[in-house]
C-alpha cells in the first residue's frame, strides 16, 4: 500500500512538472485548421497542424521506434537487466528483449513476435523488418485477417492484381482468405496485427488503405487526447486500430477496466503507464499487452507529443467469444 501511494505521488509530481514545462514550449489554444502539403519525391501527404499559435506538428516521426532513446546498446553494461515485465494479465515488452528471427512466409525479413496466443491473447502482434528485396504473401492459415502499419520506409502491396504504394504512417487492412503480396525493395519496418476472423455476418470486411493523418479526429467525451480510428466501425470488422495523441501533461480521464484486449505500441514520446497495481515509465518503441479487465491508465510526460497505436477487439459478444 505504501509503495502504491509513493508511486501515485511521483506520477502526480511528474505530471505537474511536465505540464509546467509544456506551457512554455507550446501554446494552450485548442482551435485550429488542418493543412496538407505534398512532399517532394513521395506519394504520401504529410500532416501539418496549424493553429492560431503557429505550426505545431509537421509530420509524424517514428524514428525512436527504430532507434529508441534507451536502446539495447545502452544496457550492455547491465548484464541481465531488462525493463520488460510479464504478469498474468499484462506484459511490457521493451526493445532490449525483442528477439528477431526469420519466419515462414516472409523472405529477406526478420520478425519479432511481441504478443501471441501463448501469452493469453486472441491475436498476434509483431514487428517485421524487411531488409531489402523482401516479400511476404498472405497467411497460410485460412481465416486469418491482417493489419499492417508502416513505421519506416515504404512497401508495395499487390492486392488482387492492383498495385498500391504505402508510405510510412500508412496502413492496410487485408481481409481473410484474399490473395496479395507485400514487397519492399529497400529496408522497411512494419507493425503487423493478425487474428482469426470471427464475425459471421452477411457483410464481409473489405480492403482498407489509408494514411493516419487523413483519418478524421473523433470526439472522445470527457477526454482530452486526439483520437483516430483506422478501420470502419461497421459490424463487418471484428477489431479496430486506434491512434491516440497526448500533449505533454495530458492523461486518460477514465481509469479503464473492460473486457477488450489491447496490443499497444508507443510510436512517439514517453509517459507513465499504470497496469494493474503497478506503474511503468514507457518510451517510443515499447509494446504493451493488456488482457481483459486489467486496470489501465496513461499519462504523457516530456516536452513533445506522445502517440501510440492500439489494437482493440470490437463488435464481439462476450458470451459468444469469451476469450
Amino acid at each position: 500500500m505504501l509503495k502504491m501511494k509513493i508511486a501515485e505521488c511521483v506520477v502526480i509530481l511528474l505530471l505537474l512538472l511536465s505540464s509546467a514545462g509544456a506551457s512554455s514550449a507550446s501554446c494552450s489554444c485548442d482551435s485550429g485548421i488542418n493543412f496538407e502539403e505534398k512532399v517532394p519525391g513521395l506519394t504520401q501527404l504529410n500532416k501539418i497542424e496549424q493553429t492560431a499559435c503557429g505550426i505545431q506538428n509537421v509530420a509524424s516521426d517514428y524514428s525512436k521506434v527504430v532507434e529508441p532513446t534507451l536502446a539495447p546498446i545502452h544496457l550492455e553494461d547491465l548484464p541481465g537487466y531488462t525493463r520488460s515485465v510479464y504478469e498474468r494479465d499484462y506484459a511490457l515488452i521493451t526493445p532490449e528483449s525483442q528477439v528477431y528471427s526469420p519466419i515462414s512466409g516472409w523472405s529477406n525479413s526478420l520478425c519479432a513476435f511481441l504478443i501471441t496466443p501463448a501469452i493469453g491473447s486472441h491475436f498476434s502482434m509483431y514487428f517485421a523488418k524487411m531488409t531489402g528485396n523482401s516479400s511476404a504473401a498472405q497467411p497460410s492459415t485460412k481465416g486469418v485477417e491482417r493489419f499492417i502499419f508502416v513505421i519506416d520506409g515504404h512497401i508495395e502491396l499487390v492486392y488482387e492484381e492492383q498495385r498500391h504504394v504505402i508510405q510510412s504512417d500508412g496502413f492496410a487492412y487485408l481481409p481473410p482468405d484474399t490473395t496479395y503480396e507485400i514487397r519492399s525493395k529497400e529496408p522497411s519496418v512494419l507493425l503487423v496485427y493478425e487474428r482469426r476472423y470471427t464475425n459471421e455476418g452477411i457483410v464481409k470486411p473489405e480492403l482498407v488503405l489509408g494514411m493516419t493523418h487523413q483519418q478524421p479526429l473523433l470526439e472522445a467525451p470527457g477526454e482530452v487526447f486526439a483520437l483516430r480510428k483506422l478501420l470502419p466501425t461497421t459490424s463487418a470488422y471484428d477489431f479496430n486500430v486506434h491512434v491516440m495523441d497526448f500533449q505533454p501533461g495530458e492523461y486518460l480521464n477514465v481509469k479503464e477496466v473492460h473486457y477488450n484486449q489491447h496490443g499497444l505500441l508507443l510510436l512517439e514520446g514517453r509517459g507513465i503507464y499504470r497496469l494493474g497495481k503497478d506503474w511503468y515509465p514507457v518510451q517510443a518503441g515499447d509494446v504493451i499487452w493488456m488482457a481483459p479487465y486489467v486496470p489501465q491508465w496513461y499519462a504523457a510526460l516530456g516536452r513533445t507529443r506522445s502517440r501510440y497505436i492500439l489494437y482493440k477487439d470490437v463488435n464481439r459478444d462476450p458470451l459468444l467469444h469469451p476469450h
Side-chain angles (χ1 to χ4, degrees), residues 60-215:
S60 300
D61 179 10
Y62 303 149
S63 59
K64 293 299 183 182
V65 176
V66 181
E67 298 181 1
T69 300
L70 184 60
I73 192 172
H74 299 139
L75 302 177
E76 288 183 351
D77 292 334
L78 296 172
Y81 175 78
T82 178
R83 293 189 299 116
S84 292
V85 177
Y86 172 69
E87 299 290 347
R88 180 186 63 83
D89 50 4
Y90 69 84
L92 170 64
I93 305 102
T94 55
E96 73 277 357
S97 55
Q98 296 167 4
V99 179
Y100 287 85
S101 62
I103 65 168
S104 176
W106 291 79
S107 68
N108 293 331
S109 303
L110 296 173
C111 297
F113 281 93
L114 308 162
I115 300 172
T116 71
I119 207 172
S121 69
H122 56 232
F123 66 96
S124 291
M125 174 181 177
Y126 59 95
F127 286 135
K129 288 186 176 180
M130 307 184 83
T131 57
N133 295 319
S134 308
S135 64
Q138 63 273 8
S140 58
T141 303
K142 290 186 177 181
V144 174
E145 53 190 333
R146 177 183 278 170
F147 180 92
I148 294 173
F149 184 85
V150 181
I151 296 172
D152 188 53
H154 66 275
I155 61 171
E156 178 183 279
L157 171 66
V158 181
Y159 182 89
E160 296 184 347
E161 301 183 355
Q162 295 293 317
R163 177 180 174 273
H164 309 273
V165 176
I166 307 175
Q167 303 284 350
S168 174
D169 207 35
F171 59 88
Y173 168 80
L174 303 162
D177 304 324
T178 53
T179 301
Y180 58 84
E181 185 178 21
I182 303 162
R183 303 170 181 167
S184 182
K185 293 182 180 179
E186 304 296 331
S188 299
V189 180
L190 313 180
L191 174 68
V192 184
Y193 293 107
E194 293 177 346
R195 59 164 293 163
R196 290 181 180 272
Y197 185 69
T198 57
N199 286 7
E200 299 179 355
I202 298 175
V203 179
K204 298 299 182 182
E206 299 179 348
L207 172 71
V208 178
L209 301 170
M211 297 293 298
T212 301
H213 71 269
Q214 294 175 341
Q215 309 313 304

Side-chain angles (χ1 to χ4, degrees), residues 272-286:
I272 295 287
Y273 226 106
R274 175 178 177 173
L275 298 165
K277 296 181 180 179
D278 300 308
W279 307 74
Y280 298 97
V282 291
Q283 64 170 13
D286 289 354

Side-chain angles (χ1 to χ4, degrees), residues 16-57:
L16 291 173
L17 292 174
S18 179
S19 298
S23 64
S24 62
S26 62
C27 69
S28 59
C29 59
D30 56 6
S31 62
I33 304 172
N34 288 336
F35 296 86
E36 292 181 341
E37 178 183 82
K38 190 73 174 179
V39 179
L42 297 180
T43 60
Q44 80 177 76
L45 294 176
N46 282 330
K47 175 183 175 186
I48 296 180
E49 292 180 320
Q50 173 80 34
T51 72
C53 302
I55 293 177
Q56 291 184 322
N57 295 309

